[in-house]
Amino acid sequence: MRVKSEQPLAGIVPKLLAWFDRSARPLPWRRAPGVKRDPYLVWLSEIMLQQTTVPHAAPYFAAFTSRWPTVEALAAARDEDVMQAWAGLGYYARARNLLKCAREVAARGSFPETEAGLRTLPGIGPYTAGAIAALAFGERTPAVDGNAERVFARLLAAKEDWATAKKRIGVLARELVPADRPGAFAEALMDLGATVCTPRKPNCPACPVAAQCAALAEGEVERYPIKPEKTARPERFGTVYVLRCSGNIWVVRRPPSGLLGGMLALPSTDWSETRQDAAAPTDAAWAVLGQVRHVFTHFSLRLDVWCAQTTDTDLPEGFWTPEEEIEGLPTVFAKAAALAGLSARQKR
Ligand code: SF4
């Protein structure tokens, strides 16, 4: 049953689908209409696209699917290989959950085929479950990501607080999903939000559902969505060490859990909210090269970059690796390496 005040939006479905048939983005994980989608590819692309743009995710998707073409192949991969291949994509908890999920799916024999079943897998939340269920299994279920939320917030000119608006949008989106093309509806919303109903300066003259848009009728499209003010990220500080020896660089493996867990890294101090005295891993003629900044979800980080040559090859933890071969450093360490004149390649 539809909520009466929202019924006018029912008219957006055929318009959106017709627009999508004309304008769908040719993305590497998509298939022609009517071609069955592989849930592994849908899942992998959706996990990569969380907090990541399409151009940034696309080469990683190509590299992963070429190296691990099936969920079983990914499940059998070594943790460090997957973490290294993920380096540069950020939000590394996704990579750890990716492996956990692949192993669970491989143990079960296949992906669950429903939204509810998919939500029982590690790292799969409501949006991703909806997307896989709709795209790979044709379930009549919504996939409402940030793009879709923005589109609906504008169509509705949603003025309530954002948490309430998101719930209303979720209910409405579920009601609107067409039984015959749930996946196309999900992707049409994604594309509309990404290419037309953009956060800034939406291209309303090109919008297929402009006639139904309450925000456009008000003349205030960028007012929506009305989200609470973001609180400023706290800052953290630390020191990172670029230690070189005869063309090699000293690297460490971070602990398996926590931020950047399991990733290759340059040695560093703890990252704390107050500046602390640096504690270099070995005595050497350290030079301070400058500072790199990096923004994580919950804090922004300033790292002083120290560099030295050493002949002390016997250091606790970690190992030497040839400078030209450093691969798989997370972006924050790749920035520090770059400041030291090293080019940290990332496996693609
Ligand atoms: Fe977004 Fe403009 Fe379309 Fe409204 S008319 S949904 S604001 S692009």
Side-chain angles (χ1 to χ4, degrees):
M1 194 175 76
R2 301 227 163 105
V3 180
K4 194 176 175 195
S5 64
E6 292 170 351
Q7 276 204 354
L9 284 193
I12 72 168
V13 177
K15 290 181 179 174
L16 258 180
L17 291 174
W19 171 82
F20 182 66
D21 289 340
R22 293 191 306 273
S23 322
R25 289 177 293 171
L27 303 178
W29 39 86
R30 288 189 174 169
R31 296 293 174 267
V35 175
K36 188 161 169 39
R37 303 278 285 267
D38 180 343
Y40 170 60
L41 302 184
V42 175
W43 164 73
L44 185 62
S45 63
E46 289 298 338
I47 300 293
M48 287 184 167
L49 287 167
Q50 291 167 7
Q51 316 279 346
T52 305
T53 62
V54 165
H56 192 52
Y60 285 88
F61 179 81
F64 267 67
T65 50
S66 146
R67 188 165 177 188
W68 299 295
T70 62
V71 71
E72 291 79 13
L74 183 61
R78 296 190 318 157
D79 289 35
E80 53 267 41
D81 290 342
V82 173
M83 299 309 288
Q84 197 169 4
W86 192 271
L89 207 43
Y91 299 93
Y92 294 93
R94 288 183 297 169
R96 292 193 292 277
N97 277 330
L98 192 81
L99 264 174
K100 271 193 218 157
C101 184
R103 287 169 185 160
E104 190 162 331
V105 171
R108 291 186 190 193
S110 61
F111 278 91
E113 298 193 4
T114 63
E115 178 191 16
L118 287 157
R119 286 194 63 177
T120 64
L121 291 170
I124 296 192
Y127 164 74
T128 308
I132 302 169
L135 290 162
F137 300 116
E139 185 179 352
R140 184 174 176 265
T141 189
V144 183
D145 66 352
N147 280 330
E149 282 176 349
R150 182 173 59 257
V151 171
F152 278 119
R154 288 171 174 172
L155 287 170
L156 298 166
K159 293 179 178 58
E160 63 267 56
D161 70 87
W162 185 232
T164 309
K166 278 174 48 154
K167 276 193 200 134
R168 178 156 72 113
I169 287 167
V171 171
L172 176 64
R174 191 169 287 278
E175 290 170 347
L176 290 175
V177 179
D180 56 340
R181 300 187 68 191
F185 182 65
E187 289 189 322
L189 278 169
M190 291 174 204
D191 279 14
L192 190 73
T195 64
V196 177
C197 194
T198 47
R200 302 249 175 279
K201 297 190 172 49
N203 186 7
C204 300
C207 178
V209 291
Q212 279 86 15
C213 182
L216 183 63
E218 285 180 1
E220 289 199 277
V221 290
E222 285 196 43
R223 181 180 169 201
Y224 303 96
I226 302 173
K227 293 187 179 178
E229 292 284 311
K230 280 190 182 157
T231 50
R233 282 191 182 87
E235 282 213 305
R236 292 193 193 169
F237 304 89
T239 303
V240 62
Y241 303 98
V242 181
L243 189 59
R244 308 167 92 161
C245 176
S246 307
N248 294 299
I249 184 165
W250 187 251
V251 292
V252 295
R253 178 78 58 193
R254 290 179 66 84
S257 58
L259 188 66
L260 308 180
M263 299 297 297
L264 205 62
L266 297 175
S268 77
T269 59
D270 287 343
W271 303 341
S272 56
E273 284 162 17
T274 52
R275 288 179 183 279
Q276 296 187 345
D277 289 341
T282 186
D283 287 338
W286 290 98
V288 180
L289 299 182
Q291 196 175 66
V292 292
R293 294 181 179 212
H294 193 72
V295 177
F296 291 97
T297 317
H298 301 299
F299 66 93
S300 61
L301 177 66
R302 292 187 197 204
L303 280 182
D304 292 330
V305 182
W306 288 26
C307 185
Q309 292 281 350
T310 185
T311 52
D312 175 9
T313 54
D314 188 20
L315 294 165
E317 299 178 34
F319 52 95
W320 293 104
T321 191
E323 288 181 1
E324 332 74 66
E325 289 179 20
I326 36 170
E327 287 178 337
L329 286 179
T331 305
V332 61
F333 296 111
K335 286 178 184 175
L339 194 62
L342 300 167
S343 163
R345 287 184 288 142
Q346 286 169 349
K347 269 191 179 169
R348 296 281 164 88

